[in-house]
Amino acid sequence: GPDRADRTMPDPYTVRRCRVKMAGFLRQSASAFGARGLRGRWRNFTSTSDGSDGAKYAEHRETPLSRWTVSGERPDRALAFPQYWDAFYKSKESEDPGSLYDWYSNSDVLQGVLWNKLRRLQAGHLVLHAGCGTSALSLALSSHFKDIRFIHADFSMQGLELMKHRHPELNWMAMDVRQLPFADRSLAAVVEKGTMDALLRKGDDAWLDMCKECSRALSQGGIFLQITDEPPELRLPLLEHLREWQVSFSAVDANDDGYEYFVYSCEMR
């Protein structure tokens, strides 16, 4: 379970600030180093010798999550574990009962891009919202596409229980995105916001396992949609690792938090 950390642990806001502040530097340097080289340079720059994940480079905002880490894991890797998010959602609910939490923006602008990407969905299609947490995106998806069968899934039981209690009319399911309980070619789409970003913190191939599972479960012409703040210089080489995906992206100014986001669209060939 989560233990109190000896040093301050960067919360999702801190990690995001650090990532976004580095994006401009990376873009300016892309032609000199290449995307793959930059990923290594970026990770080295934002990971300090004491494992504090570059918090000294980023503006820090204290939150309940900053007090917790995962036993046996470096603080910068903790975002990839359910115990981390269980501790966060429990603290968030205690501090502000009934509140929702979106790591990244959930603005109308971003939603509009998603709705356009999902416009080909037909009544009865099955869609996975992976890593839903307590995001307002779950409610927006199910409200906008009333005839689509959405499954809102997460590996944090704490977050799921909160959402089940608040919105029992929606479909909530506990699952690991690296081992999806769906038959091959059974999903019309997968939507995720920040889920792969969290898995990337683990430092292994968890992100790739996720992508492979989503690819297996997606139908021909199905689409994997991802919202992140990671620019194409870094994200495209990862997504294009799956040759069965036709990858494109849109840059979006969310207009509500001052950050630039990217919606990556990976369509099954």
Side-chain angles (χ1 to χ4, degrees), residues 112-242:
V113 174
L114 283 182
W115 300 170
N116 183 58
K117 298 287 185 181
L118 295 170
R119 67 185 184 281
R120 290 180 294 174
L121 290 176
Q122 298 178 11
H125 273 169
L126 183 63
V127 175
L128 172 65
H129 177 200
C132 63
T134 61
S135 170
L137 182 58
S138 298
L139 312 182
L141 284 167
S142 292
S143 175
H144 189 82
F145 298 96
K146 298 183 184 300
D147 296 327
I148 304 302
R149 294 182 297 151
F150 280 99
I151 294 178
H152 306 286
D154 205 282
F155 65 0
S156 169
M157 291 302 300
Q158 181 71 31
L160 285 175
E161 288 302 318
L162 289 172
M163 295 304 281
K164 283 180 182 179
H165 178 73
R166 298 171 189 170
H167 300 281
E169 73 281 6
L170 302 185
N171 295 319
W172 307 98
M173 185 179 295
M175 71 177 68
D176 186 334
V177 291
R178 299 168 296 176
Q179 294 179 310
L180 297 178
F182 303 108
D184 294 358
R185 309 294 175 249
S186 59
L187 297 177
V190 175
V191 179
E192 69 97 342
K193 184 172 69 168
T195 304
M196 182 168 155
D197 294 309
L199 291 179
L200 279 166
R201 310 308 301 172
K202 199 167 184 286
D204 59 13
D205 287 339
W207 67 270
L208 183 57
D209 293 338
M210 168 189 169
C211 290
K212 287 180 176 179
E213 268 294 270
C214 290
S215 180
R216 176 193 63 78
L218 281 169
S219 61
Q220 186 68 31
I223 190 170
F224 175 85
L225 289 176
Q226 179 179 91
I227 298 175
T228 177
D229 63 3
E230 190 164 77
E233 296 94 321
L234 301 180
R235 188 51 57 97
L236 286 179
L238 299 184
L239 297 177
E240 290 173 347
H241 187 85
L242 282 80

Side-chain angles (χ1 to χ4, degrees), residues 86-103:
D86 285 345
F88 173 63
Y89 294 131
K90 183 177 181 179
S91 296
K92 191 74 172 174
E93 182 66 10
S94 175
E95 180 185 75
D96 188 11
S99 65
L100 300 175
Y101 177 75
D102 282 276
W103 182 1

